[in-house]
Amino acid sequence: MAGKNKRNGMESLKERIQRVVQEEVVIVPYNPDWPKMFAEEKKHLFSCLPHEIVKRIEHFGSTAIPDVSAKPIIDILVEVASLEETRKIVVPILSEQGYEYFWRPAHGDDGLPFYAWFIKRDVHGIRTHHIHMVERDFELWDRLFFRDYLIEHPCLLKEYQRLKLQLAESFTYDRVAYTAAKTKFIVKTTLSAKDYYKMKNSFVTRKAELSDVDAITEIYNEAILTTTATFDTEPKSTAERSQWFQSHDERHPIWVAVLDGKVVGWISLSKWSDRPAYNDTGETSFYVKSEYRGKGIGTILIQTMIKEAQQLKYHTIIARIAGESDVSLYVHTKFGFVQVGILKEVGRKFGKLLDVHILQKILD
């Protein structure tokens, strides 16, 4: 890496900050060497810093996400036992090696809390790494939820990539504005990610059994009476839903989401048509009990269905979604379902004419 930045001794803190925030923002295609660069830096940090201070090192930010464009700077999150000890012991060690050090606010110009932040550069003075040193309970650890959530949700990842490219063009020489403009997306997505992983770790999905029909019926009837997600208008009996359940087989399965032994949602993969030429096409629909909506259950059910459909060698999956079902439209879209048509005003429920969106996902 470059030798110690001699400008640090001549610049005031204000001048240093001004120089750093005005450096160009450049987004480049994914580099398969980025994970290796992280691994090498992780090894170096563990080798040169006291183990009683440095506890954990993680790769985060866009360079930690495969196949996504990013600023070519490896973001590294380091757990330290004490920020006070980090300032006393770690800062002198890394400063001597040429890392630039800042006592950085987590929010805005001076928003608490602060943490230790280092910039590492190559022999040409180009940034290669950002080292973020924080204690165990610091909020930056939530960014690992953000990283993993984007990896699991490719359509959301594409949205984030488009946003970054747009912002890099708008704020090429203003890193503060570039970062601030991403914040709304990051905060919103991180909250969704935390709910998603909390719920994911709390419940299981499994193939539905005949004993689940009562719960499946209850959830479906709630949707009939209170939403436009289904165009049924009268509640179904358990006997009717049992008949529907038994019309499904190994190729047309039903899954349930179970929390504390209670079925709180379900998803089905049904025949699109009885005509044999449609055998590689399925239709999906899912329903979640009202008090558990918005907690990522639908997301996980759709993931389960897509994985199973791929194993069953389906070619395409179709979903019919009422125009008012914005959440369902969003969830399907983020998993690669594409709208291929709209049936205008084909249903009437709760005194309103309703459109139906036809969405399709091709699996192979």
Side-chain angles (χ1 to χ4, degrees), residues 131-160:
I131 317 296
H132 309 252
M133 293 195 177
V134 300
E135 293 177 358
R136 182 177 181 179
D137 58 352
F138 201 86
E139 61 192 67
L140 269 183
W141 289 108
D142 287 348
R143 294 291 296 275
L144 299 185
F145 290 117
F146 178 79
R147 175 198 68 189
D148 295 345
Y149 193 69
L150 288 184
I151 291 172
E152 288 195 44
H153 297 79
C155 290
L156 193 62
L157 177 57
K158 289 179 181 178
E159 182 182 342
Y160 183 51

Side-chain angles (χ1 to χ4, degrees), residues 252 270-283 318:
H252 306 94
S270 306
K271 289 183 179 181
W272 172 247
S273 171
D274 286 329
R275 295 172 181 170
Y278 287 110
N279 283 349
D280 292 337
T281 299
E283 180 177 9
I318 293 172

Side-chain angles (χ1 to χ4, degrees), residues 199-326:
M199 186 60 63
K200 186 175 183 179
N201 293 331
S202 300
F203 74 90
V204 297
T205 56
R206 59 167 172 78
K207 289 283 185 66
E209 302 167 354
L210 190 58
S211 59
D212 297 318
V213 170
D214 283 343
I216 289 172
T217 304
E218 179 185 348
I219 293 169
Y220 187 60
N221 283 342
E222 180 186 37
I224 291 173
L225 295 173
T226 61
T227 77
T228 57
T230 171
F231 278 12
D232 276 324
T233 58
E234 297 294 331
K236 299 294 183 180
S237 68
T238 301
E240 288 174 305
R241 293 310 278 173
S242 293
Q243 185 176 4
W244 166 84
F245 182 92
Q246 291 172 4
S247 71
H248 288 73
D249 52 28
E250 284 299 315
R251 184 158 178 78
H252 306 94
I254 303 167
W255 299 267
V256 291
V258 181
L259 178 64
D260 297 329
K262 178 181 179 181
V263 173
V264 297
W266 59 268
I267 191 168
S268 62
L269 184 57
S270 306
K271 289 183 179 181
W272 172 247
S273 171
D274 286 329
R275 295 172 181 170
Y278 287 110
N279 283 349
D280 292 337
T281 299
E283 180 177 9
T284 186
S285 58
F286 76 92
Y287 297 89
V288 176
K289 198 169 179 63
S290 59
E291 60 262 42
Y292 296 97
R293 293 174 193 157
K295 300 182 182 298
I297 292 176
T299 292
I300 294 171
L301 285 170
I302 290 178
Q303 283 182 307
T304 302
M305 179 275 299
I306 291 172
K307 182 178 180 180
E308 184 78 5
Q310 290 171 328
Q311 292 175 349
L312 291 169
K313 306 300 184 184
Y314 275 86
H315 175 65
T316 186
I317 304 297
I318 293 172
R320 290 181 286 185
I321 303 173
E324 290 189 339
S325 301
D326 292 339

Side-chain angles (χ1 to χ4, degrees), residues 337-350:
F337 281 78
V338 177
Q339 182 168 291
V340 293
I342 302 177
L343 302 176
K344 304 292 289 185
E345 298 183 356
V346 292
R348 187 187 297 273
K349 192 170 184 181
F350 304 140

Side-chain angles (χ1 to χ4, degrees), residues 28-32 34-35 62-70 157-158 161:
V28 302
Y30 179 76
N31 184 343
W34 285 341
S62 296
T63 59
I65 302 174
D67 301 320
V68 66
S69 298
L157 177 57
K158 289 179 181 178
Q161 181 164 266

